[in-house]
Amino acid sequence: MLSDAFRARIPGVRCLVAFTGAGMSAESGVSTFRGEDGIWQKFKPEELASFDAFIRNPSLVWEWYAHRKKVLSSVEPNPGHLALANMETLFPEVHVITQNIDNLHRRAGSQRVHELHGNLQRNYCIDCRNPVSNEGLDLDAGAPRCRQCGGLIRPDVIWFGELLPLDAWDRSIEACRRADLFLSIGTSGVVYPAATLPGISRGAGAYVVEINPEYTALSDFVDETILGKSGEILPEVVRLMKIELRK
Ligand code: OAD
């Protein structure tokens, strides 16, 4: 499954970056955004995932995120998430840069997780910025208000038109520049600026491997694509990495 070029890189890897998208969590039962059963086939992003939409109709937006919060509380990390966490035992430095907001990388045990699009576990007040966790929120009671200032509470996720969190972005760029091996996993590679990261890393010398059941917008710009599901491919990649490292 691993090409000779991929295998040859493994013993020299000091810094590995895994860049993940919704496909990473598909085998946990979390819907992707695009494709036949994708979330954006059923819902319009501009009605649910923008600050304007939230201000226009906070209860509707909350109902949607409350639903997603409930879905996420019932899913588990899959073998792909666990394989990435396992890579931390093989290489000195492993970063997971994720577009996902489902917290599954942290739950799987990954230590250096950079969340580019936020995390559905967290919320904050749009007026005083007070952070609010999911515990203590009644998910069936419409849009919650801040206990300190009465402002609207929003989920701590990035909506269309919003800037990415600067600290997570800076740490991601830094890791991409240092990476020897870059794995782009389960992302269609069409949402920017996140989709620039594989190119930045490759330009800085990393060997870039894509793992996806289909070719994507990134495929022409990577060193190789392994076609398949991340929950099946990544455990096998770990097994083969261990063999290469033992040689
Ligand atoms: P997409 O839904 O655009 O793409 C999901 C990718 O996962 C597709 O390329 C699928 O082929 C692939 N895929 C499906 N099942 C898979 C599996 N089992 N293993 C591996 N890959 C699989 O999701 P993203 O690229 O994550 O942004 O979308 C990027 C951003 O667009 C999201 O973070 C979200 C969305 O709008 C925000 O909410 C800000």
Side-chain angles (χ1 to χ4, degrees), residues 7-214:
R7 281 173 189 269
R9 284 285 181 138
I10 291 168
V13 172
R14 308 289 305 161
C15 177
L16 181 150
V17 164
F19 170 57
T20 68
M24 180 84 221
S25 300
E27 288 151 272
S28 294
V30 183
S31 299
T32 60
F33 290 94
R34 296 169 186 83
E36 273 172 30
D37 295 325
I39 290 171
W40 297 147
Q41 297 293 340
K42 301 179 198 119
F43 304 97
K44 288 189 180 152
E46 61 274 19
E47 282 171 14
L48 291 167
S50 74
F51 189 76
D52 285 353
F54 181 59
I55 294 300
R56 229 179 4 251
N57 196 341
S59 301
L60 174 74
V61 173
W62 255 102
E63 202 179 309
W64 151 250
Y65 280 100
H67 166 71
R68 290 185 69 197
K69 283 172 191 277
K70 285 180 195 168
V71 168
L72 293 185
S73 67
S74 66
V75 302
E76 298 294 330
N78 67 52
H81 294 104
L82 298 173
L84 285 186
N86 203 335
M87 286 181 197
E88 294 185 12
T89 63
L90 306 181
F91 304 106
E93 194 179 337
V94 175
H95 296 262
V96 175
I97 303 173
T98 189
Q99 299 166 89
N100 299 342
I101 58 176
D102 56 27
N103 206 37
L104 290 176
H105 286 298
R106 291 186 197 280
R107 287 179 56 198
S110 286
Q111 302 287 321
R112 291 191 190 90
V113 182
H114 312 303
E115 291 162 332
L116 295 181
H117 293 166
N119 186 321
L120 216 44
Q121 290 292 108
R122 305 186 300 257
N123 314 276
Y124 66 91
C125 169
I126 63 168
D127 290 333
C128 72
R129 302 264 153 178
N130 186 31
V132 179
S133 74
N134 283 345
E135 287 79 46
L137 284 185
D138 181 351
L139 291 179
D140 296 314
R145 292 272 174 183
C146 177
R147 287 192 186 149
Q148 294 191 3
C149 77
L152 277 168
I153 305 285
R154 62 168 282 179
D156 191 355
V157 298
I158 302 304
W159 282 330
F160 286 94
E162 293 184 326
L163 293 177
L164 302 194
L166 256 188
D167 52 345
W169 180 249
D170 286 348
R171 285 197 305 268
S172 299
I173 295 279
E174 175 65 19
C176 287
R177 291 204 176 117
R178 275 209 308 281
D180 310 291
L181 181 62
F182 184 104
L183 306 177
S184 176
I185 307 161
T187 180
S188 56
V190 296
V191 173
Y192 284 81
T196 58
L197 294 175
I200 289 171
S201 202
R202 192 163 183 235
Y207 191 77
V208 178
V209 178
E210 173 177 55
I211 297 170
N212 198 303
E214 297 171 4

